[in-house]
Amino acid sequence: MIRVTVIDDTRIIKSVSDIENDGILMAWAQENEKSPGHCIFSKEGEIFSIVDRDDVFELLVRATLNYLDLQGVKKGFCKNEALSGGLKRLGFTEKDGICEVDITTFFKPCCSHK
């Protein structure tokens, strides 16, 4: 089973990313001793990069947005054009080169069960 942990230790984050930003975090996926990927993002909701080594893109985005939601952040967004295709498949919309999603509606069910 893959587990995702949010890490705020800048030394660890800088070991895999060169992004300079206060409030930078990393959603680190791990399965046993192997890491299938990670997502670098900010406390404000910006997704900077995603490294996907084993088809964990959606898992990393969902874990990131879930963390942000629990912190009270209402909008997730990304300016990294290389990620826009995958993000749009998950429900992000793109305007002026920025993909964004309302986190509150992202986690709402698409239909009701009666």
Side-chain angles (χ1 to χ4, degrees), residues 20-64:
E20 295 289 332
N21 185 326
D22 288 333
I24 194 167
L25 302 166
M26 175 171 54
W28 181 266
Q30 186 153 356
E31 183 174 33
N32 299 320
E33 294 82 36
K34 176 182 143 187
S35 174
H38 62 269
C39 175
I40 306 295
F41 65 101
S42 74
K43 292 179 181 178
E44 291 78 31
E46 182 173 1
I47 296 172
F48 295 107
S49 66
I50 296 175
V51 172
D52 179 3
R53 294 184 200 98
D54 195 10
D55 198 27
V56 293
F57 187 91
E58 181 175 355
L59 172 68
L60 291 168
V61 171
R62 287 184 171 280
T64 297

